[in-house]
Amino acid sequence: MKITIGHLYPDLLNLYGDRGNIQCMKKRCEWRGIEAEVKEFQLTDAIDFSSLDIVLLGGGSDREQMLVCNQLKTIQKDFKEYVEDNGVVIAVCGGYQLLGHYYDTSEGRIEGLSLVDLYTEQGSPRLISNIVIENEAFPYPIVGFENHGGRTFINGNKALGKVSFGYGNNGQDKEEGVMYKNVIGTYLHGPLLPKNPHVCDHLLARALAKKYGRAELEPLDDAQEKEANEYIVHRFTKS
Ligand code: GLN
């Protein structure tokens, strides 16, 4: 079995080391004897979405998002087809905002990909916090760190989770992120997947199920990751 991971625009969308999420997916495949190839795409590269099993769009500053946004128009149709065909996407922070219709900033509108029905508006102050979210579909909470000026509204789509601590999509409705088909968008950046191996395995399982029609993932020893997760959950929600 083999998984191909496409990393879009790592030079521009790689805030807080989102690249570590790729390493996490690759390693968790390799530990299970699943081959994992990573393809990096720069801004003007053609992208053959049919050759990809997982796509990662990382975080970026407003300036970098503005640079990327024009190029997105050229891949929008193919990317939309990939999503509607249940292609797996993990989009983080700036990349999450770009999944939607637009991100309005004081410097102007950043047009998004319109892959998911959501939009983002800049607000003040920036929402900076550790964050804990819960979703019954996952075996334990998802923990991370958020730092965004944008407030995202997901128009009735399913959220990635309910906020137990932190701000989430917009600081108002206690929801964080979005799940649409096999797309996850989230404000949790940096080491999202190393901190949350259950989210990493969710993405891998979806990609394997789509490609091979089955998705049994051999369990790995995540004792240390679980202990760290429990510590964070306890520190922010139970003290
Ligand atoms: N530039 C966006 C914002 O501030 C996203 C930032 C990020 O990717 N951390 O909302």
Side-chain angles (χ1 to χ4, degrees):
M1 284 196 285
K2 180 180 172 185
I3 288 286
T4 305
I5 303 163
H7 190 179
L8 265 53
Y9 317 133
D11 288 354
L12 290 165
L13 298 180
N14 187 31
L15 211 57
Y16 295 96
D18 289 320
R19 197 188 294 264
N21 290 320
I22 298 264
Q23 278 160 353
C24 182
M25 288 191 272
K26 196 165 185 291
K27 240 8 220 180
R28 292 182 74 81
C29 280
E30 286 168 2
W31 283 332
R32 295 171 162 122
I34 301 167
E35 198 184 328
E37 186 191 357
V38 179
K39 289 185 181 168
E40 292 196 347
F41 296 96
Q42 307 308 327
L43 208 48
T44 50
D45 291 346
I47 303 174
D48 175 7
F49 282 92
S50 68
S51 71
L52 304 177
D53 304 305
I54 300 179
V55 171
L56 181 128
L57 264 179
S61 64
D62 293 1
R63 190 188 70 82
E64 289 162 329
Q65 285 174 279
M66 198 70 97
L67 289 173
V68 166
C69 108
N70 278 336
Q71 189 60 23
L72 294 183
K73 290 185 191 125
T74 66
I75 61 163
Q76 198 277 342
K77 192 170 158 288
D78 290 350
F79 205 167
K80 178 83 180 159
E81 269 172 31
Y82 171 86
V83 165
E84 291 303 311
D85 189 34
N86 295 316
V88 177
V89 179
I90 174 73
V92 178
C93 209
Y96 168 35
Q97 296 169 340
L98 291 172
L99 290 181
H101 302 301
Y102 59 82
Y103 169 30
D104 272 343
T105 76
S106 55
E107 306 289 310
R109 174 165 289 192
I110 298 172
E111 296 287 348
L113 284 152
S114 290
L115 301 181
V116 183
D117 182 19
L118 59 86
Y119 65 95
T120 303
E121 289 167 349
Q122 195 173 46
S124 181
R126 293 187 71 77
L127 304 178
I128 306 171
S129 181
N130 286 290
I131 176 162
V132 178
I133 65 174
E134 316 253 358
N135 178 341
E136 281 169 9
F138 290 93
Y140 49 95
I142 301 170
V143 299
F145 176 73
E146 58 180 326
N147 180 354
H148 49 109
R151 273 68 170 159
T152 296
F153 299 90
I154 61 172
N155 289 339
N157 276 299
K158 260 194 293 174
L160 175 61
K162 284 260 158 229
V163 176
S164 317
F165 182 86
Y167 297 105
N169 281 337
N170 48 53
Q172 295 165 27
D173 60 20
K174 289 275 166 205
E175 290 192 327
E176 203 296 311
V178 75
M179 290 181 98
Y180 170 74
K181 288 184 163 259
N182 281 336
V183 177
I184 290 184
T186 178
Y187 273 118
L188 274 60
H189 59 182
L192 166 71
L193 300 182
K195 278 183 180 172
N196 298 286
H198 49 326
V199 178
C200 186
D201 283 358
H202 168 92
L203 297 168
L204 297 179
R206 290 298 178 98
L208 289 170
K210 176 169 187 291
K211 191 165 186 184
Y212 297 105
R214 64 198 162 87
E216 300 100 57
L217 282 178
E218 215 179 286
L220 297 172
D221 177 6
D222 292 328
Q224 286 186 338
E225 288 85 345
K226 279 189 188 147
E227 205 179 310
N229 181 295
E230 274 164 28
Y231 172 82
I232 293 294
V233 172
H234 194 268
R235 176 167 162 203
F236 293 113
T237 69
K238 309 244 163 70
S239 50

